[in-house]
Amino acid sequence: MKISHILILCTLFASSFGPVACIQRPDSLSTLLPDSNSNSRLEKKYEDLIVGYAQLGAESEWRAANTISIKETAEQLGVELRFLDAQQKQDNQIEAVRKLIIQKVDIIGISPIVETGWEEVFQEAKNAGIPIILVDRRADVPEDFYVSYLGSDFLEEGRKAARIMADLVNEKASIVELVGTIGSAPANDRYLGFREILKEYPQMHIIDSESGDFTRARGREVMAAFLKKYGNEITAVYAHNDDMALGAIDAIEEYGLNPGQDIKIVSIDAARGAFEAMIAGKLNATVECNPLLGPQFFELALKVVNGQPIPKWVPSIEGIFFPEDASEILPTRKY
């Protein structure tokens, strides 16, 4: 019997004999009517996602590995990725976010070049209903402007580097510091974390500090200037990333000293180049900062789009590596 016929009969019975129960078979009418208590919104899968990503550039081996991780994971999961490279310029990155807003992506991931200057464009994304995930680097904005931060504890990386340095130099050193990009979250926090621990060691002093922009070429240039200015007074180098440390190693060798011996060197990232330098005896330690964040990023993105709760900060799990372990670990490194 058709549904319309059942409803007509029920109406006739009710009008003629008063209210009665109209019973249908569970495999007919009841299965066709929606449950008013059910959530009819279908959850998205990875292949349904359109994800925008505003990368800051490719200034280091670490950043290149980070980009590969994002792109390869998107391909593996079937995510439609709109990837834009800002080439180390904040104006480009802000424009990239605006392009992604116009394209109406489901969510935006961004590694901010510097911490400040993001409120306006993040507000634009919020107004458009597009959530933002900060990846690897924080932004100095109200917490409701982004849904989560995925990345390292840069303060703790600086603290770890200082503790390692203290052991290497027997708590006495004249240190030069190669700082990352001025105003960036990792540079700010690695700078502060290192100094926080240095307060415990009165015979360890930073005699000079300058930005090497997280690049090998600039690290070499700054280290050469330090050596020209201070010469053999320098006993240790603290580099905010491995690329600058490798540049410093080049400069130290050109100056006629032995990196890792005459001048102790501690850096951050734990990229393949750092392991090769440790095996060669030219780098004394590297603190890990994991760039392979693609899987975690897209997992977070899917949860956000589907309205699932996520932490405000998802920290990376990272270690510390020394020359004695480098030969064994190097073949396993993916970056």
Side-chain angles (χ1 to χ4, degrees):
M1 184 182 292
K2 294 183 179 180
I3 294 172
S4 59
H5 293 170
I6 295 174
L7 294 175
I8 292 169
L9 288 174
C10 287
T11 304
L12 291 172
F13 269 87
S15 60
S16 303
F17 301 102
V20 296
C22 187
I23 302 172
Q24 302 104 30
R25 291 186 301 156
D27 60 346
S28 56
L29 179 63
S30 62
T31 61
L32 299 175
L33 298 177
D35 181 358
S36 61
N37 295 322
S38 68
N39 183 2
S40 59
R41 178 176 177 269
L42 296 175
E43 286 196 348
K44 288 194 173 186
K45 298 178 181 179
Y46 283 119
E47 53 266 29
D48 303 319
L49 290 183
I50 301 176
V51 176
Y53 200 93
Q55 182 62 285
L56 65 85
E59 87 280 21
S60 64
E61 187 178 358
W62 190 101
R63 186 62 54 190
N66 178 245
T67 290
I68 290 170
S69 179
I70 297 294
K71 289 182 175 180
E72 287 187 348
T73 305
E75 186 176 356
Q76 290 164 5
L77 296 174
V79 173
E80 182 177 338
L81 178 65
R82 311 278 177 84
F83 187 93
L84 299 173
D85 187 329
Q87 299 180 336
Q88 280 78 46
K89 295 180 180 179
Q90 186 178 26
D91 288 345
N92 291 350
Q93 201 170 30
I94 290 172
E95 184 61 27
V97 173
R98 290 196 168 119
K99 286 181 180 178
L100 294 170
I101 293 170
I102 292 170
Q103 293 174 23
K104 297 181 179 180
V105 298
D106 293 314
I107 192 166
I108 294 173
I110 181 171
S111 301
I113 293 176
V114 295
E115 287 192 291
T116 57
W118 299 104
E119 285 203 27
E120 183 178 342
V121 73
F122 278 25
Q123 180 69 65
E124 291 171 20
K126 185 178 179 181
N127 293 344
I130 300 175
I132 287 177
I133 296 176
L134 302 177
V135 184
D136 166 53
R137 296 190 180 186
R138 296 184 184 274
D140 185 12
V141 296
E143 286 198 348
D144 62 341
F145 277 31
Y146 65 96
V147 290
S148 186
Y149 163 63
L150 166 62
S152 304
D153 186 339
F154 300 129
L155 273 170
E156 184 57 26
E157 289 173 352
R159 295 183 191 116
K160 288 176 180 177
R163 295 186 189 107
I164 295 164
M165 184 72 78
D167 288 339
L168 288 171
V169 299
N170 296 317
E171 304 181 9
K172 183 178 181 180
S174 294
I175 306 164
V176 292
E177 178 183 31
L178 296 171
V179 179
T181 302
I182 297 297
S184 68
N188 291 344
D189 287 354
R190 289 168 186 171
Y191 180 98
L192 294 173
F194 192 84
R195 282 160 175 76
E196 179 184 317
I197 299 302
L198 225 59
K199 293 176 182 177
E200 303 171 14
Y201 302 98
Q203 296 188 74
M204 291 177 64
H205 306 283
I206 297 174
I207 60 174
D208 213 334
S209 176
E210 188 173 336
S211 173
D213 291 328
F214 285 129
T215 69
R216 181 167 184 163
R218 182 63 180 148
R220 178 177 180 172
E221 181 182 336
V222 173
M223 189 65 208
F226 284 156
L227 287 164
K228 184 176 180 180
K229 184 176 180 179
Y230 300 102
N232 293 342
E233 183 183 346
I234 300 170
T235 59
V237 173
Y238 167 43
H240 285 199
N241 80 336
D242 292 335
D243 283 75
M244 292 189 297
L246 296 175
I249 287 170
D250 293 338
I252 291 168
E253 289 181 322
E254 289 171 4
Y255 190 78
L257 296 176
N258 296 313
Q261 299 176 41
D262 298 324
I263 299 177
K264 303 296 184 183
I265 306 173
V266 175
S267 63
I268 298 174
D269 273 359
R272 290 185 65 88
F275 282 83
E276 292 165 354
M278 286 193 292
I279 292 169
K282 298 177 182 181
L283 180 69
N284 302 97
T286 183
V287 178
E288 187 174 30
C289 181
N290 183 10
L292 306 180
L293 301 177
Q296 285 180 282
F297 168 66
F298 287 108
E299 181 182 2
L300 283 173
L302 186 64
K303 287 181 178 180
V304 170
V305 170
N306 284 326
Q308 298 177 21
I310 61 170
K312 201 65 181 180
W313 178 22
V314 181
S316 305
I317 300 173
E318 298 162 342
I320 302 171
F321 300 98
F322 298 94
E324 55 265 30
D325 307 313
S327 295
E328 181 179 352
I329 295 172
L330 177 60
T332 69
R333 300 305 284 174
K334 294 182 179 180
Y335 61 96

